[in-house]
Amino acid sequence: MYKVASASEYLVITGIGIKDIKLAKKAWIFPGQSCTVFDLSPVNYTFEVQAMSAEKLPFVLPAVFTIGPRVDDEPSLQKYAKLISPHDKLSNHVKDLVQGIIEGETRVLAASMTMEEIFRGTKEFKQEVFEKVQLELNQFGLLIYNANVKQLVDVPGHEYFSYLGQKTQMEAANQAKVDVAEARMKGEIGSKLRDGQTLQNAAKIDAETKIISTQRQGEGKKEEIRVKTEVKVYENQKEAEVAAANSELAKKKAGWAREAQVAEVEASKAVALREAELQREVETMNAMTTTEKLKAEFLSKASVEYETKVQEANWNLYNKQKAAEAILYEKEKEAAAQKATAEAQFYARQQAADGEFYAKKKEAEGLVALGQAQGVYLRTLSDALGGNYAALRDYLMINSGMYQQIAKINAEAVHGLQPKISIWTGANGGGDTAGAANPAMKEVAGVYKMLPPLFKTVQEQTGMLPPEWMGTLTDSSHHQSHHE
């Protein structure tokens, strides 16, 4: 079935294929679906709300509210369709619901205000009631289209507003009497004030008149003096202008005379110049006549000679160009050969340089590797000797035979000289006795006899002392020095 709602109605469809409810103006109603029509037109609700102010004074608030569904909001229409549309809008159920909301919100708001505030702020009170009621009606999908609050009415036995009106009337009458008395008082005081002000103003005007008269007389004298001064200044200025004009006229007369003399001189000079120009023109014409004659005589001869010279010059130029081109070709070939030779030499030098660079690179890499190996060797010796630099130095000097080289160099250096030779003996003079006693110790003693002179020589040559474990050098009776 296809159903269509009127302009002020909506269709509410439920059933198969619809999750909750469906609102539409027109739709197909399929089997298993239910359709209900609800009206959107607003309804007037008239109430007389009995409320009580903060002073516990009761009053009656007559009001007329125009309330209906909110047609421009889909969620509000769904709320109205679910909660209100099953009931008739004029039913007691809907009327009691709306009246309960309006009365509850009005009473709560009135209880927080005094009677004076409610009476004097009727507009604000009405606005507050509308806002509170609308907030509650939103949950039912209803909207207040219009609301009208009538005049507040007294509850029988509590005639507050009537007494308040009488009070207002009495206050207005008393205020009128006071206003009349004040007007009468102001009139009398104003009359006296005007009389006094008239006398004061008359005296003030007389005094000001005298002052102004005196000022005007002084200003008249000042103006007279000023005018006389300006007249005198004007006369002096005009006299100065006349003198300047006379001086200017004299200058002009002198200038005119000078110009006249210059004009006369220029006129005479112009005549002479004109004569010279005419003479020059005559001379020029004579020269031109002579030139033309000479041209006529020698032109043919010069033309023939010119053509001959031109042909000879062209032939010489052609020969020189060909010779130059041949020389240029030879030079280009020679330059190309030299360029090829230079490129070959450059390539050979480049290859040699690359080979030398590669060799130097490999040699440097070998030196780096050797240095690294020597570093490892020195670190190993240093670790073995417990980090003792002196012991490491002595070991390296002994191991490399430095002491023997120093002795050899010293021997060669003093060859043929008379050197100082140190001969060392034992503590006792009988070395042979010790040797006889122990031949093995004699050999050892011989080795140690060789070391002190060597260390002494090293110390003299280099300034380095032997290590402590090998003894010290002393100048005692244990050695004898002889000179040969």
Side-chain angles (χ1 to χ4, degrees), residues 377-378 381 385 389-407 454-455 457-459 461-467 469-470:
Y377 172 67
L378 291 176
L381 289 178
L385 294 175
Y389 169 74
L392 176 62
R393 181 195 63 194
D394 296 336
Y395 173 77
L396 293 174
M397 292 178 69
I398 294 171
N399 191 35
S400 61
M402 181 175 287
Y403 295 112
Q404 290 84 344
Q405 293 179 6
I406 293 173
L454 179 59
F455 290 140
T457 302
V458 172
Q459 192 271 337
Q461 296 290 333
T462 65
M464 293 190 300
L465 295 174
W469 55 273
M470 297 188 69

Side-chain angles (χ1 to χ4, degrees), residues 94-107:
V94 178
K95 186 174 182 180
D96 292 342
L97 174 65
V98 175
Q99 183 176 1
I101 293 173
I102 294 174
E103 288 184 351
E105 294 300 327
T106 303
R107 288 169 180 165

Side-chain angles (χ1 to χ4, degrees), residues 9-44:
E9 294 179 343
Y10 251 98
L11 301 178
V12 182
I13 306 171
T14 58
I16 298 173
I18 299 173
K19 185 176 180 180
D20 187 10
I21 65 173
K22 177 182 177 182
L23 299 178
K25 279 288 187 179
K26 53 187 177 180
W28 285 96
I29 310 301
F30 299 101
Q33 292 182 349
S34 175
C35 177
T36 304
V37 180
F38 67 91
D39 192 6
L40 298 176
S41 58
V43 177
N44 290 332

Side-chain angles (χ1 to χ4, degrees), residues 416-436:
L417 302 176
Q418 294 180 355
K420 179 183 178 182
I421 301 174
S422 298
I423 301 174
W424 292 72
T425 60
N428 52 1
D432 295 339
T433 307

Side-chain angles (χ1 to χ4, degrees), residues 292-311:
E292 292 297 329
K293 182 179 180 181
L294 292 174
K295 284 183 179 179
E297 292 177 356
F298 297 103
L299 179 59
S300 57
K301 183 180 180 180
S303 299
V304 172
E305 290 179 356
Y306 171 76
E307 293 294 335
T308 303
K309 296 294 184 181
V310 167
Q311 294 297 328

Side-chain angles (χ1 to χ4, degrees), residues 273-465:
L273 288 173
R274 183 58 180 167
E275 292 178 353
E277 287 178 357
L278 293 174
Q279 185 65 32
R280 184 181 61 190
E281 289 178 358
V282 171
E283 298 280 339
T284 302
M285 295 301 294
N286 293 332
M288 291 175 65
T289 304
T290 306
T291 301
E292 292 297 329
K293 182 179 180 181
L294 292 174
K295 284 183 179 179
E297 292 177 356
F298 297 103
L299 179 59
S300 57
K301 183 180 180 180
S303 299
V304 172
E305 290 179 356
Y306 171 76
E307 293 294 335
T308 303
K309 296 294 184 181
V310 167
Q311 294 297 328
E312 291 177 356
N314 290 338
W315 174 252
N316 293 330
L317 177 61
Y318 178 76
N319 291 332
K320 289 180 181 179
Q321 287 179 349
K322 291 301 179 180
E325 289 176 358
I327 295 171
L328 176 63
Y329 181 75
E330 292 178 359
K331 294 293 183 181
E332 288 179 352
K333 291 299 181 181
E334 184 180 355
Q338 291 178 356
K339 180 179 180 182
T341 303
E343 289 179 352
Q345 292 177 356
F346 173 75
Y347 180 76
R349 290 178 182 176
Q350 186 176 9
Q351 294 298 322
D354 291 343
E356 185 178 357
F357 172 73
Y358 183 76
K360 293 292 184 181
K361 182 178 179 183
K362 290 300 181 181
E363 183 180 354
E365 292 177 355
L367 291 176
V368 172
L370 178 61
Q372 292 177 353
Q374 289 179 351
V376 174
Y377 172 67
L378 291 176
R379 283 196 296 273
T380 304
L381 289 178
S382 178
D383 294 340
L385 294 175
N388 191 337
Y389 169 74
L392 176 62
R393 181 195 63 194
D394 296 336
Y395 173 77
L396 293 174
M397 292 178 69
I398 294 171
N399 191 35
S400 61
M402 181 175 287
Y403 295 112
Q404 290 84 344
Q405 293 179 6
I406 293 173
K408 182 179 178 181
I409 293 169
N410 288 331
E412 293 176 354
V414 299
H415 182 69
L417 302 176
Q418 294 180 355
K420 179 183 178 182
I421 301 174
S422 298
I423 301 174
W424 292 72
T425 60
N428 52 1
D432 295 339
T433 307
N438 193 344
M441 292 300 296
K442 182 179 179 180
E443 298 297 329
V444 174
V447 173
Y448 277 92
K449 287 179 181 179
M450 293 170 63
L451 290 175
L454 179 59
F455 290 140
K456 180 64 176 178
T457 302
V458 172
Q459 192 271 337
E460 290 176 352
Q461 296 290 333
T462 65
M464 293 190 300
L465 295 174

